Amino acid sequence: MRAVCVIGLGLIGGSVLRAAKTAGRPAWGTTASEADADGARAAGFEVLDIEPALRRAAEEDALVVVATPLTAVRAVLRQVAEHAPGAWLTDVVSVKEPVDAEVRSLLPAGRYAGGHPMAGVSSSGWSAGSGELFTGAAWAVTIEDDTTLEAWSEAARLALDCGAQVVPTSAASHDFAVARISHLPHVFAAVLAAVGADGGPLALSLAAGSFRDGTRVAGSEPELVRAMTEGNRIALLDAVDDALGRLGAARGSLASTGGLKSTVDAGHEARRTLDELAINERVRATVQLNDTALERLRELGERGSRVVALTETTAEVEIPV
C-alpha cells in the first residue's frame, strides 16, 4: 500500500492520518500547529517537520495529502515543489478550482488529483478528528482534461481506504455544487444565528431544535469558514443570488397575501428528494479502467453515482435508479 504524508493535522488531516494508518498504510504527518503535533504524537503517530516529511515522501514515492486551509495552500505547495516536485499529490481542501490552479502553477510535474471529503464537525483541531469520520461519506476526487488515470486512482484509493465513497467530478462542477450545499449553509447559519441573537435573551432562551440545527455550523472556526466561502466567491455569489430571489419571493407573498405555501412546499419537496436519495435503490456497474474511463467516471459522478471499489483494471460504481 502506498505510504501517505499528510500536511496539516487538524480535523480533516488528522482524521486522514488516523484512517490511513488504520487501513495499513505507512503514514506520517506534519503541521505548523504545535498543539496538533503534540496531540498526534501523544496518540502514537509520527510527526515530522515539513522538510524531512516531504523528503521522506519523495524517497518512498508516497502520496502527499495537503490538508491545510485554502489560505495556506500556496506556501505548502512551494515546499512540496522544493522537496518533492514529482510527488503523487492530492488535497482535502473544500474548494477545488483555486487549488488546481496553484498546482498547475507551482507543480507542473506533480501527479495530482484534487479531493474533498464531505464530512466534518463544527469543532476543529487534532482532538476533533476521528479515524471513522469518513465512513460512508462522499469524497469528491476531481477529473480534469489532463488528469491521469494513475493520479486519480491514487487519490481515489486513499478515499476508499478511509471508508468513503468516491464521487468523480470536475473542479468547476464540484465548486458549483458545494457552494449550494455547504458554503451557502454556512452563510445562512451565520445570518440565522445573528438574527436570533438580535431577538434578545427571550428569543435565545426559547431556541430549540430547529434553531440549533440551523445554526450548528456557525460554531465552526470563523477563519476556516471565511477561507472556504471566500475562496469559492464566484459560485457562492450565484447561490446567494438564487437564495435572495427565493427569499424575496417569500417576502413578497407574505406581505401581499400572508401566505408562504410556494416557499414551504418547494423546500419540503426538495428535502424529501434528499431523504429519498438515501433509501432509493442503486444499481452496480463496472467501468473498465481504460483510456476513456475518466470521462465515463466523471459523467457518472455528476449524475450522483459513487465509486465504491477499485481494482487494477476496474471501478465498481453505484448508480442511482
Side-chain angles (χ1 to χ4, degrees), residues 159-227:
L160 293 169
D161 283 350
C162 289
Q165 299 175 341
V166 174
V167 180
T169 180
S170 69
S173 294
H174 166 275
D175 289 357
F176 175 85
V178 297
R180 290 168 176 269
I181 54 83
S182 177
H183 301 164
L184 183 64
H186 274 87
V187 174
F188 269 17
V191 171
L192 181 59
V195 170
D198 285 347
L202 175 61
L204 293 182
S205 72
L206 294 173
S210 61
F211 185 78
R212 294 183 184 278
D213 291 347
T215 61
R216 179 184 63 82
V217 296
S220 303
E221 190 67 32
E223 289 77 10
L224 298 178
V225 175
R226 285 189 58 201

Side-chain angles (χ1 to χ4, degrees), residues 50-298:
I50 190 166
E51 291 186 13
L54 288 171
R55 286 197 296 268
R56 179 175 171 186
E59 292 166 1
E60 299 189 21
D61 200 27
L63 174 63
V64 175
V65 183
V66 178
T68 65
L70 178 62
T71 50
V73 166
R74 178 177 298 179
V76 166
L77 291 179
R78 289 186 186 279
Q79 294 271 50
V80 177
E82 181 177 355
H83 301 291
W88 298 100
L89 182 66
T90 190
D91 71 280
V92 288
V93 181
S94 62
V95 187
K96 298 273 57 79
E97 283 198 297
V99 179
D100 184 76
E102 294 288 8
V103 171
R104 290 174 185 277
S105 173
L106 298 171
L107 280 159
R111 293 170 287 182
Y112 171 73
H116 179 207
M118 300 303 297
V121 295
S122 57
S123 50
S124 59
W126 169 268
S127 62
S130 164
E132 292 74 47
L133 181 66
F134 310 115
T135 301
W139 187 316
V141 181
T142 58
I143 299 170
E144 304 304 308
D145 291 343
D146 56 355
T147 303
T148 67
L149 180 59
E150 293 76 15
W152 184 86
S153 296
E154 290 293 342
R157 285 195 176 93
L158 174 65
L160 293 169
D161 283 350
C162 289
Q165 299 175 341
V166 174
V167 180
T169 180
S170 69
S173 294
H174 166 275
D175 289 357
F176 175 85
V178 297
R180 290 168 176 269
I181 54 83
S182 177
H183 301 164
L184 183 64
H186 274 87
V187 174
F188 269 17
V191 171
L192 181 59
V195 170
D198 285 347
L202 175 61
L204 293 182
S205 72
L206 294 173
S210 61
F211 185 78
R212 294 183 184 278
D213 291 347
T215 61
R216 179 184 63 82
V217 296
S220 303
E221 190 67 32
E223 289 77 10
L224 298 178
V225 175
R226 285 189 58 201
M228 68 179 177
T229 53
E230 294 171 3
N232 199 22
R233 183 173 65 93
I234 301 302
L236 181 54
L237 278 170
D238 183 71
V240 169
D241 286 344
D242 189 351
L244 289 175
R246 292 173 182 271
L247 282 172
R251 188 197 184 284
S253 178
L254 189 63
S256 61
T257 69
L260 287 173
K261 177 176 172 52
S262 178
T263 298
V264 173
D265 286 354
H268 179 76
E269 183 63 26
R271 175 63 198 215
R272 190 171 70 174
T273 300
L274 175 65
D275 291 339
E276 287 175 350
L277 281 175
I279 60 174
N280 280 357
E281 182 183 357
R282 288 175 173 254
V283 297
R284 283 264 185 138
T286 299
V287 175
Q288 298 296 320
L289 297 182
N290 54 30
D291 291 343
T292 63
L294 290 183
E295 181 179 352
R296 175 61 174 155
L297 287 171
R298 183 169 61 185

